[in-house]
Amino acid sequence: MMNKKITFANLVDKIAEETGASKKLIHDLLTETVHLTREGLNRDGYVNLGGLGRFRLKWHKARYGRNPQTGEKIEIPGRNSVNFTAEANLREYINRQYSHLQSEIIEGKIEQVKAEPDDISIKPKDTPSPPVSKTPPPPARPEKKEEKKRFPRWPWLALPLIIIILAIIFWPSRKVTETEIKEQVISEKVEKDIQILPEETEQPETKPVIEEIKYEMPGGQHTVKPGEKLWTISLDFYNQGDLWPNIYRMNLNEIQNPDLLLIGNEISIPSLQGKPGNLTQKDIEDIAEGFIEVYLAYKESDNRKALYYLWVVKKWNINEIMDKYSDRIDETDLKLVDKIEGYPQIK
Amino acid sequence: MTNSEIIKNLSLHLGKSQVEIKRLLKSSTKIITRDILDRDIGITIPDLGTFSAYFKGKRKSFNPYHNKFMLLPPKRIIRFHPGSSIKNEFK
């Protein structure tokens, strides 16, 4: 905060010295401007003082408060306050020593949170190791354990060999007796590695299962009721409002402006192969097409929201759709969108 | 009320030409900014209020558009504190 202050009389003296006018004139000038600003605030609610800034009346609404001593509820009446904003030139002049500085991005908490899933993926590999101790240990066991601690990577190199050996053991119905001897010797190594293996083998098994189950979100016909928007209709049918461009895509002839629905309009709603949060590739392509249609519609009416819809499709990185519409998308918009970081939360 | 209206009214009240009034106002605002506010000195104008400048250091803040934390540079801010008479008038 400021330490020193200058009096009004001193200010008048200074201005009089600089301009060569009489002190009385300057005094009258300043008091008259103060008088005029009050008049202007009363009349219009704002006053522009060239070179200094703008005064404005701001209305604060009436609100309820409490008496801190008794706890009673009091109604605090609304009031006006006089606000002042300095002119841009003045602000620049005062901040000229900091003008070369710019805001910098700090690597914040968000990126640390993103790093966690990688750590989790390592944990399951460590957890299956304890069951190994249940297997009957041969006498030479403790020595081997120590070796593994020193060289934790070598079992991975031996993996393919062990798999081949296992295949030989289990496929031909136990004709070979020598393999059984080998089993006893290598039992430890093998069993440890077997327990790591199933994780890798399970994953490809589970993925196809998810694909086979098709949660079809049923589409159909819908007549628009009063108070409905595309967002609410999509919320009713898909349980997610974000997917409304998918509905808009199917009804380009019916709906001219995506923000405006006419009551009684008949809208056909496309069905989805997957559920929101677990959409299939085809669904995402359809929805991306809807997003681009919305972008084009907003672009025609110079709506600033248009860029958001282009950004979503760009981040999804679906090249087929981008190629299909490449003639109608502005290149300047694409460059703008490329600079924006982050990832859309719609999936 | 706009700036030109103020200049017109001042020239009527004080009996000076508009050009002269403009010159005087320009030099007075120049003195207020260059000699007073820029040197961290406050000025109270009677019946209006106090003008002062204060320093705001660099700070960390969250930018919701980029979804990242930003380090904002230091700056100085001009502040107007309305006087009691003007406060009561527009209550």
Side-chain angles (χ1 to χ4, degrees), chain A residues 41 45 55-61 78-84, chain B residues 90-91:
Chain A
L41 282 176
F55 291 94
R56 197 185 269 174
L57 280 187
K58 194 184 173 189
W59 174 249
H60 298 267
K61 275 196 288 185
R79 67 186 173 88
N80 269 320
S81 70
V82 182
N83 275 19
F84 172 76
Chain B
F90 296 106
K91 221 168 187 181

mmCIF file of all heavy atoms in Angstrom, chain A residues 41 45 55-61 78-84, chain B residues 90-91:
data_model
loop_
_atom_site.group_PDB
_atom_site.id
_atom_site.type_symbol
_atom_site.label_atom_id
_atom_site.label_comp_id
_atom_site.label_asym_id
_atom_site.label_seq_id
_atom_site.Cartn_x
_atom_site.Cartn_y
_atom_site.Cartn_z
ATOM 1 N N LEU A 41 -23.094 10.846 -12.556
ATOM 2 C CA LEU A 41 -23.434 9.583 -11.893
ATOM 3 C C LEU A 41 -24.918 9.564 -11.547
ATOM 4 O O LEU A 41 -25.584 8.528 -11.649
ATOM 5 C CB LEU A 41 -22.595 9.410 -10.628
ATOM 6 C CG LEU A 41 -21.156 8.946 -10.819
ATOM 7 C CD1 LEU A 41 -20.432 8.920 -9.490
ATOM 8 C CD2 LEU A 41 -21.111 7.564 -11.440
ATOM 9 N N GLY A 45 -25.524 7.258 -14.448
ATOM 10 C CA GLY A 45 -24.954 6.097 -13.756
ATOM 11 C C GLY A 45 -23.528 5.829 -14.163
ATOM 12 O O GLY A 45 -22.906 4.897 -13.665
ATOM 13 N N PHE A 55 -15.960 6.062 -14.086
ATOM 14 C CA PHE A 55 -16.710 5.842 -12.853
ATOM 15 C C PHE A 55 -18.039 5.199 -13.211
ATOM 16 O O PHE A 55 -18.631 5.512 -14.242
ATOM 17 C CB PHE A 55 -16.988 7.166 -12.135
ATOM 18 C CG PHE A 55 -15.772 7.812 -11.573
ATOM 19 C CD1 PHE A 55 -15.069 8.764 -12.297
ATOM 20 C CD2 PHE A 55 -15.311 7.463 -10.323
ATOM 21 C CE1 PHE A 55 -13.942 9.350 -11.779
ATOM 22 C CE2 PHE A 55 -14.179 8.047 -9.798
ATOM 23 C CZ PHE A 55 -13.490 8.996 -10.526
ATOM 24 N N ARG A 56 -18.489 4.315 -12.333
ATOM 25 C CA ARG A 56 -19.746 3.635 -12.632
ATOM 26 C C ARG A 56 -20.444 3.283 -11.325
ATOM 27 O O ARG A 56 -19.790 2.934 -10.345
ATOM 28 C CB ARG A 56 -19.459 2.361 -13.414
ATOM 29 C CG ARG A 56 -20.665 1.819 -14.104
ATOM 30 C CD ARG A 56 -20.346 0.515 -14.750
ATOM 31 N NE ARG A 56 -19.893 0.651 -16.127
ATOM 32 C CZ ARG A 56 -19.445 -0.368 -16.842
ATOM 33 N NH1 ARG A 56 -19.348 -1.550 -16.305
ATOM 34 N NH2 ARG A 56 -19.072 -0.197 -18.085
ATOM 35 N N LEU A 57 -21.769 3.365 -11.355
ATOM 36 C CA LEU A 57 -22.544 2.953 -10.181
ATOM 37 C C LEU A 57 -22.847 1.465 -10.292
ATOM 38 O O LEU A 57 -23.257 0.998 -11.346
ATOM 39 C CB LEU A 57 -23.863 3.722 -10.116
ATOM 40 C CG LEU A 57 -23.826 5.151 -9.564
ATOM 41 C CD1 LEU A 57 -25.248 5.665 -9.433
ATOM 42 C CD2 LEU A 57 -23.154 5.195 -8.213
ATOM 43 N N LYS A 58 -22.608 0.745 -9.204
ATOM 44 C CA LYS A 58 -22.894 -0.690 -9.214
ATOM 45 C C LYS A 58 -23.948 -0.982 -8.154
ATOM 46 O O LYS A 58 -23.811 -0.527 -7.011
ATOM 47 C CB LYS A 58 -21.610 -1.461 -8.925
ATOM 48 C CG LYS A 58 -21.728 -2.920 -9.253
ATOM 49 C CD LYS A 58 -20.479 -3.645 -8.858
ATOM 50 C CE LYS A 58 -20.653 -5.132 -9.017
ATOM 51 N NZ LYS A 58 -19.536 -5.875 -8.455
ATOM 52 N N TRP A 59 -24.967 -1.716 -8.535
ATOM 53 C CA TRP A 59 -26.068 -2.021 -7.612
ATOM 54 C C TRP A 59 -25.813 -3.360 -6.917
ATOM 55 O O TRP A 59 -25.549 -4.373 -7.565
ATOM 56 C CB TRP A 59 -27.396 -2.076 -8.390
ATOM 57 C CG TRP A 59 -28.554 -2.522 -7.576
ATOM 58 C CD1 TRP A 59 -29.227 -3.688 -7.686
ATOM 59 C CD2 TRP A 59 -29.181 -1.806 -6.513
ATOM 60 N NE1 TRP A 59 -30.231 -3.760 -6.771
ATOM 61 C CE2 TRP A 59 -30.218 -2.607 -6.023
ATOM 62 C CE3 TRP A 59 -28.957 -0.563 -5.910
ATOM 63 C CZ2 TRP A 59 -31.037 -2.218 -4.973
ATOM 64 C CZ3 TRP A 59 -29.780 -0.172 -4.864
ATOM 65 C CH2 TRP A 59 -30.802 -0.986 -4.400
ATOM 66 N N HIS A 60 -25.860 -3.330 -5.592
ATOM 67 C CA HIS A 60 -25.727 -4.569 -4.817
ATOM 68 C C HIS A 60 -27.113 -4.954 -4.316
ATOM 69 O O HIS A 60 -27.795 -4.149 -3.693
ATOM 70 C CB HIS A 60 -24.785 -4.368 -3.631
ATOM 71 C CG HIS A 60 -23.394 -4.014 -4.041
ATOM 72 N ND1 HIS A 60 -22.413 -4.958 -4.219
ATOM 73 C CD2 HIS A 60 -22.824 -2.832 -4.352
ATOM 74 C CE1 HIS A 60 -21.308 -4.367 -4.606
ATOM 75 N NE2 HIS A 60 -21.528 -3.068 -4.691
ATOM 76 N N LYS A 61 -27.498 -6.200 -4.577
ATOM 77 C CA LYS A 61 -28.851 -6.631 -4.239
ATOM 78 C C LYS A 61 -29.050 -6.710 -2.725
ATOM 79 O O LYS A 61 -28.086 -6.855 -1.966
ATOM 80 C CB LYS A 61 -29.111 -8.018 -4.830
ATOM 81 C CG LYS A 61 -29.566 -7.965 -6.266
ATOM 82 C CD LYS A 61 -30.174 -9.288 -6.687
ATOM 83 C CE LYS A 61 -29.111 -10.357 -6.829
ATOM 84 N NZ LYS A 61 -29.672 -11.610 -7.349
ATOM 85 N N GLY A 78 -30.592 -3.256 -0.302
ATOM 86 C CA GLY A 78 -29.709 -3.083 -1.460
ATOM 87 C C GLY A 78 -29.108 -1.692 -1.469
ATOM 88 O O GLY A 78 -29.661 -0.758 -0.884
ATOM 89 N N ARG A 79 -27.946 -1.573 -2.116
ATOM 90 C CA ARG A 79 -27.280 -0.262 -2.127
ATOM 91 C C ARG A 79 -26.446 -0.115 -3.392
ATOM 92 O O ARG A 79 -26.120 -1.104 -4.048
ATOM 93 C CB ARG A 79 -26.396 -0.105 -0.893
ATOM 94 C CG ARG A 79 -25.235 -1.043 -0.904
ATOM 95 C CD ARG A 79 -24.445 -1.008 0.366
ATOM 96 N NE ARG A 79 -23.450 -2.067 0.334
ATOM 97 C CZ ARG A 79 -22.243 -1.927 -0.189
ATOM 98 N NH1 ARG A 79 -21.852 -0.788 -0.725
ATOM 99 N NH2 ARG A 79 -21.394 -2.937 -0.190
ATOM 100 N N ASN A 80 -26.124 1.135 -3.661
ATOM 101 C CA ASN A 80 -25.236 1.433 -4.783
ATOM 102 C C ASN A 80 -23.825 1.641 -4.274
ATOM 103 O O ASN A 80 -23.619 2.105 -3.157
ATOM 104 C CB ASN A 80 -25.688 2.716 -5.479
ATOM 105 C CG ASN A 80 -26.656 2.437 -6.594
ATOM 106 O OD1 ASN A 80 -26.477 1.474 -7.321
ATOM 107 N ND2 ASN A 80 -27.683 3.262 -6.727
ATOM 108 N N SER A 81 -22.834 1.311 -5.094
ATOM 109 C CA SER A 81 -21.460 1.684 -4.762
ATOM 110 C C SER A 81 -20.820 2.303 -5.998
ATOM 111 O O SER A 81 -21.191 1.973 -7.122
ATOM 112 C CB SER A 81 -20.667 0.478 -4.282
ATOM 113 O OG SER A 81 -20.442 -0.390 -5.355
ATOM 114 N N VAL A 82 -19.861 3.196 -5.773
ATOM 115 C CA VAL A 82 -19.195 3.864 -6.887
ATOM 116 C C VAL A 82 -17.932 3.083 -7.234
ATOM 117 O O VAL A 82 -17.057 2.890 -6.385
ATOM 118 C CB VAL A 82 -18.819 5.309 -6.509
ATOM 119 C CG1 VAL A 82 -18.174 6.009 -7.694
ATOM 120 C CG2 VAL A 82 -20.039 6.069 -6.060
ATOM 121 N N ASN A 83 -17.868 2.580 -8.479
ATOM 122 C CA ASN A 83 -16.691 1.817 -8.923
ATOM 123 C C ASN A 83 -15.867 2.638 -9.893
ATOM 124 O O ASN A 83 -16.410 3.415 -10.660
ATOM 125 C CB ASN A 83 -17.142 0.531 -9.619
ATOM 126 C CG ASN A 83 -17.393 -0.567 -8.632
ATOM 127 O OD1 ASN A 83 -17.580 -0.296 -7.457
ATOM 128 N ND2 ASN A 83 -17.415 -1.801 -9.102
ATOM 129 N N PHE A 84 -14.565 2.408 -9.869
ATOM 130 C CA PHE A 84 -13.686 3.115 -10.796
ATOM 131 C C PHE A 84 -12.785 2.104 -11.493
ATOM 132 O O PHE A 84 -12.176 1.247 -10.845
ATOM 133 C CB PHE A 84 -12.830 4.125 -10.019
ATOM 134 C CG PHE A 84 -11.759 4.762 -10.853
ATOM 135 C CD1 PHE A 84 -12.067 5.761 -11.763
ATOM 136 C CD2 PHE A 84 -10.439 4.360 -10.744
ATOM 137 C CE1 PHE A 84 -11.085 6.346 -12.527
ATOM 138 C CE2 PHE A 84 -9.449 4.943 -11.515
ATOM 139 C CZ PHE A 84 -9.773 5.933 -12.406
ATOM 140 N N PHE B 90 -25.114 8.250 -2.950
ATOM 141 C CA PHE B 90 -25.645 7.223 -3.870
ATOM 142 C C PHE B 90 -26.061 5.954 -3.152
ATOM 143 O O PHE B 90 -26.082 4.897 -3.746
ATOM 144 C CB PHE B 90 -24.587 6.903 -4.938
ATOM 145 C CG PHE B 90 -24.271 8.072 -5.804
ATOM 146 C CD1 PHE B 90 -23.070 8.751 -5.656
ATOM 147 C CD2 PHE B 90 -25.172 8.510 -6.737
ATOM 148 C CE1 PHE B 90 -22.777 9.831 -6.453
ATOM 149 C CE2 PHE B 90 -24.890 9.594 -7.529
ATOM 150 C CZ PHE B 90 -23.692 10.257 -7.383
ATOM 151 N N LYS B 91 -26.363 6.050 -1.883
ATOM 152 C CA LYS B 91 -26.649 4.876 -1.079
ATOM 153 C C LYS B 91 -27.778 4.039 -1.686
ATOM 154 O O LYS B 91 -28.841 4.441 -1.880
ATOM 155 C CB LYS B 91 -27.043 5.300 0.318
ATOM 156 C CG LYS B 91 -26.423 4.407 1.374
ATOM 157 C CD LYS B 91 -26.600 5.023 2.739
ATOM 158 C CE LYS B 91 -25.830 4.211 3.771
ATOM 159 N NZ LYS B 91 -25.999 4.762 5.103
#
